[in-house]
Amino acid sequence: MFLNKGEILFRQGDSGEFLYHIKSGLFKVTRLHKNGNSVLFNVLYPGETVPHHSLITPKDIHGTATALMRSEVEKIPAEEWYRELSEHPEKALEIALLLQEKVRFMQQRIDHLTVGTPAERLALLTDWLNSYAHGIHFTELLTQEEIGQLIGVRRETINRLLRGH
């Protein structure tokens, strides 16, 4: 299936009837907290099967995934996924490799958060996003608030960095 920019792949609280293999595009994953704060906590990219926390056993959806650009996704019925996993235990290695890749991505993100200056953090995020964005400027994909959440700075700092000061 194809989703255009702004379309929702899954919503926080959904029962998790499906898993999704991202073939192309990018998605931001946000979580709405009880106090009303919405936080961007993940970016999904091609090659991932999500939600990660449901690759072995089912669980309600933890956040809302929104397409950042035209994206192609394979929709996999959860029942079929889990049945295949039980019938073919070797599939667990495939899942372990998917999770390992995501852990490595998260380690890279943590490394990016610990780089010295906000400008350096922004440069690292920009480089990473550009590798998937197909020429779309990162400010067309994410708001200044979301960029700030990903690199651990306030929106005002992002605004100042983007103006070149």
Side-chain angles (χ1 to χ4, degrees), residues 108 111-113 115 118-130 151:
Q108 180 185 37
D111 286 347
H112 290 177
L113 283 171
V115 167
E120 290 171 304
R121 293 183 214 163
L122 181 60
L124 288 168
L125 177 65
T126 302
D127 289 346
W128 182 82
L129 282 173
N130 285 342
I151 67 171

Side-chain angles (χ1 to χ4, degrees), residues 18-156:
F18 296 94
L19 285 91
Y20 306 89
H21 179 74
I22 300 169
K23 293 183 167 196
S24 66
L26 289 170
F27 293 85
K28 66 179 178 181
V29 184
T30 55
R31 178 148 178 81
L32 181 62
H33 293 282
K34 290 180 182 176
N35 67 5
N37 287 343
S38 180
V39 177
L40 173 65
F41 73 92
N42 201 357
V43 176
L44 306 177
Y45 50 88
E48 291 195 85
T49 299
V50 294
H52 302 105
H53 67 270
S54 295
L55 291 174
I56 303 294
T57 59
K59 184 167 174 39
D60 289 353
I61 304 296
H62 187 70
T64 299
T66 307
L68 295 174
M69 61 178 60
R70 183 164 168 78
S71 303
E72 182 179 4
V73 176
E74 177 188 357
K75 193 174 181 179
I76 306 164
E79 192 175 292
E80 177 184 310
W81 176 270
Y82 298 123
R83 184 181 61 251
E84 189 173 319
L85 182 58
S86 70
E87 292 173 359
H88 303 281
E90 67 277 6
K91 189 173 172 86
L93 179 58
E94 176 186 327
I95 293 169
L97 291 170
L98 289 170
L99 292 173
Q100 174 182 273
E101 179 60 31
K102 193 60 179 185
V103 167
R104 289 178 178 172
F105 165 75
M106 296 307 289
Q107 287 173 324
Q108 180 185 37
R109 291 267 309 113
I110 290 168
D111 286 347
H112 290 177
L113 283 171
T114 58
V115 167
T117 69
E120 290 171 304
R121 293 183 214 163
L122 181 60
L124 288 168
L125 177 65
T126 302
D127 289 346
W128 182 82
L129 282 173
N130 285 342
S131 67
Y132 293 101
H134 307 290
I136 300 171
H137 194 269
F138 68 95
T139 57
E140 294 180 44
L141 300 173
L142 301 170
T143 66
Q144 289 182 8
E145 182 73 26
E146 292 167 337
I147 295 165
Q149 289 171 356
L150 283 175
I151 67 171
V153 299
R154 294 176 25 177
R155 182 197 56 77
E156 294 81 2

